[in-house]
Amino acid sequence: MDNFLIIGQPRSGTTYLQTLLNAHAQLHCRGELFDPWQIDDNGTKTAGLDAVIARDRDPVGFMERMLAGEGMHVGGRMLGAKVLFQHHPALFAQFVPQRPTLKLIYVYRENKLAQFASGRQVAKTGQWTATNAAPVAPKIEAAPFWTASECNRLVNEDFLLRAWLKTLDNPMLMVSYAGLFAPDFRQRVQDFLGVTPQPDLASPLVKQGQNRIIDRFENPEILARYFNETGRGQWLDAELPTTV
């Protein structure tokens, strides 16, 4: 059976893609199985030290069993999972390189200020995803030097992910956060995975944060000055077309 992995960072669009793929009758992404705090099997969460230790004692074997359909009715679907930067290193060092036929979808968010702000906002609300139009997300206050440091970390993590991906022979599809909403993306990802096209494919998730990124902050003036004067002013503006 073919399998796929969604690769990326938190708040880069990987959960949106997971829910989009799970709307297809021939696909099932099991989600963030290697969440450091729990096993998140597409929303079914198994927490507790014993469960996490059992998983992390044999991460390669655990992922192999889950992608083979352990604990679920496969029903002929292609199975996948999410692998994020902070997940178990054996996935990057062993599991993926040893499986060159594994299909990889790399999701990255070009606007790192948006990615940082999204993480801070959901940490404030405790609502990591939303399926209904929610009240305006709370604004956050973030010191410019700390914000810059976190954005730099996100840029550097993406750099390292890309460098690692270049060492692999796996079939690969790369897509930006904004590209997830492009008119042709649904067709592209279905073609890549080799499934029958399903034209009505849609995710139930809705965007939570303000689209104009600087509007997410309580101290916009100082942040705008910093990012404008250091050559990253494009991060302050709207991330997606207003029609999305």
Side-chain angles (χ1 to χ4, degrees):
M1 179 190 297
D2 288 336
N3 294 118
F4 65 91
L5 292 179
I6 298 171
I7 307 284
Q9 296 171 300
R11 312 312 297 176
S12 64
T14 59
T15 301
Y16 173 85
L17 179 55
Q18 174 187 335
T19 58
L20 182 70
L21 298 182
N22 283 350
H24 196 290
Q26 297 172 346
L27 298 170
H28 182 74
C29 180
R30 302 196 72 164
E32 200 172 339
L33 298 171
F34 279 83
D35 183 324
W37 291 271
Q38 61 195 347
I39 299 167
D40 186 350
D41 189 357
N42 193 37
T44 300
K45 299 178 181 181
T46 304
L49 189 59
D50 290 342
V52 171
I53 286 175
R55 177 196 66 188
D56 292 350
R57 186 183 294 119
D58 180 20
V60 171
F62 178 85
M63 181 65 92
E64 196 165 52
R65 294 191 303 273
M66 297 300 279
L67 291 184
E70 182 178 278
M72 65 171 289
H73 173 64
V74 178
R77 291 173 292 180
M78 178 188 292
L79 300 185
K82 283 171 50 175
V83 173
L84 303 186
F85 190 86
Q86 73 273 23
H87 288 178
H88 201 290
L91 302 176
F92 296 92
Q94 300 173 45
F95 185 83
V96 175
Q98 292 170 0
R99 291 160 179 78
T101 62
L102 188 62
K103 295 184 177 183
L104 307 180
I105 307 173
Y106 169 48
V107 184
Y108 59 94
R109 196 164 186 170
E110 293 175 320
N111 190 326
K112 295 305 182 190
L113 183 62
Q115 190 174 345
F116 164 76
S118 176
R120 298 311 304 163
Q121 284 179 308
V122 299
K124 198 170 184 176
T125 64
Q127 186 174 2
W128 294 90
T129 60
T131 55
N132 298 302
V136 177
K139 293 189 177 186
I140 55 174
E141 184 168 0
F145 304 135
W146 175 56
T147 303
S149 174
E150 286 298 290
C151 289
N152 290 342
R153 176 181 61 79
L154 293 170
V155 169
N156 293 338
E157 286 181 4
D158 256 341
F159 174 82
L160 293 173
L161 272 176
R162 285 174 180 268
W164 171 72
L165 288 167
K166 288 178 181 179
T167 69
L168 304 174
D169 296 323
N170 300 68
M172 197 176 306
L173 176 65
M174 295 190 178
V175 59
S176 69
Y177 175 82
L180 292 170
F181 304 95
D184 66 339
F185 176 71
R186 289 167 176 78
Q187 186 64 51
R188 284 178 58 211
V189 72
Q190 291 176 88
D191 289 345
F192 174 72
L193 294 173
V195 295
T196 304
Q198 188 172 306
D200 60 346
L201 205 63
S203 167
L205 301 186
V206 297
K207 189 173 179 64
Q208 293 177 266
Q210 297 86 341
N211 193 37
R212 184 171 178 262
I213 305 308
I214 195 60
D215 292 340
R216 300 185 180 196
F217 294 92
E218 291 180 348
N219 53 332
E221 294 83 6
I222 190 170
L223 290 171
R225 180 189 172 193
Y226 175 83
F227 283 99
N228 274 321
E229 294 185 17
T230 57
R232 293 183 283 187
Q234 72 277 12
W235 285 355
L236 304 171
D237 298 326
E239 186 175 26
L240 296 174
T242 54
T243 54
V244 172

